[in-house]
Amino acid sequence: MALVTTTKMFKDAYEGGYAIGAFNVNNMEIIQGIVGAAKKLSAPVILQCSKGARDYAGLTYVTKMVDAAVEDTGLPIALHLDHGPDFETCKQCIDGGFTSVMIDGSSLPYEENIAVTSKVVEYAHAHGVVVEGELGTLAGVEDDVVVESGNESYTKPEQVEDFVKRTGVDSLAIAIGTSHGAYKFKPGQKPQLRFDILEEVGRLLPGFPIVLHGASSVMPEYVKMINEFGGEMPDAIGIPEDMLRQAASMAVCKINVDSDLRLALTASIRKHLAENPSHFDPRQYLKPARAAIQEVVEHKITEVLGCAGKA
Ligand code: G3H
Ligand code: 13P
Ligand code: ZN
């Protein structure tokens, strides 16, 4: 089995009313934790790499480690560029062996978003690679771009048909109230998503895969563990799981999760070092941290995405 694109994954997910998890990867332990869960539950999976992750780990290391995951598991795995900021970054990833790229023109004026997205689609499709575009902006932090809460903008359903037709994208990320990071809602604020927008987009683009970014639940058990072992994240709040399950049963075929992995990894390391202050061998704390990543991904696959047994 070689790396795959997301085409079949999304078709099956759309028809089956479930979603595929797209998990951000930055190092070996994160990759192994994710694919360990996917293998155990026989789930297709998307490993995605941001520009920041690429700068951190290096493109060669990322692609070779993901190749190793494919060889080791035999699973359908797609390697995806998360939030590609420009044509050049997308091109480098396509040339480097990624099977899917996102071009994030969501903060550009509409016509400029169309222009850069079309250019990426043309190059990607000529190389057998699929493309995710984005319409609407999420609050939170993506790479170096910070969108303050209140300055986000929901996707306008009246633009989606025109955008998809003119760009030729294979999937579309939309903004319905999710946001990046661990502070998605203010304390006391009731989490809400604009399911009316998702429904309208689904009606206008029948059978077309929609992507949800900023979809971590900010799992309370890990926030609690971080706070118990010296961290300070009292106000961290995420997207309730029942809302994600509802989105997965609608047109959403790809659900992006990064923050929940970060929280689990950090909580595990904090706990381990607090309980074993004499440890200094990284394997001693990275082994349980990797297991924590696997636990989170198993939970997402079975309780949120519904893609167990779909590999
Ligand atoms: O959407 C952003 C992802 O969580 C990746 O974050 O750019 O810090 O790697 P990063
Ligand atoms: P979270 O910060 O909610 O995990 O979102 C991750 C994401 O959207 C990556 O593109
Ligand atoms: Zn994102």
Side-chain angles (χ1 to χ4, degrees), residues 219-233 263-275 288-289 292 295-296:
M219 293 168 73
E221 56 267 49
Y222 294 110
V223 175
K224 188 163 168 261
M225 205 189 290
I226 286 176
N227 289 333
E228 215 171 294
F229 293 101
E232 290 185 13
M233 306 188 66
L263 290 168
L265 187 94
T266 301
S268 166
I269 293 173
R270 275 191 180 276
K271 180 172 189 291
H272 183 92
L273 292 178
E275 290 174 349
E295 201 173 283
V296 169

Side-chain angles (χ1 to χ4, degrees), residues 236-272:
I237 304 174
I239 312 293
E241 290 184 347
D242 59 332
M243 293 189 186
L244 297 168
R245 279 193 292 271
Q246 188 180 338
S249 74
M250 298 168 72
V252 170
C253 294
K254 173 174 179 269
I255 291 191
N256 284 11
V257 173
D258 187 0
S259 296
D260 275 331
L261 304 185
R262 296 178 179 193
L263 290 168
L265 187 94
T266 301
S268 166
I269 293 173
R270 275 191 180 276
K271 180 172 189 291
H272 183 92

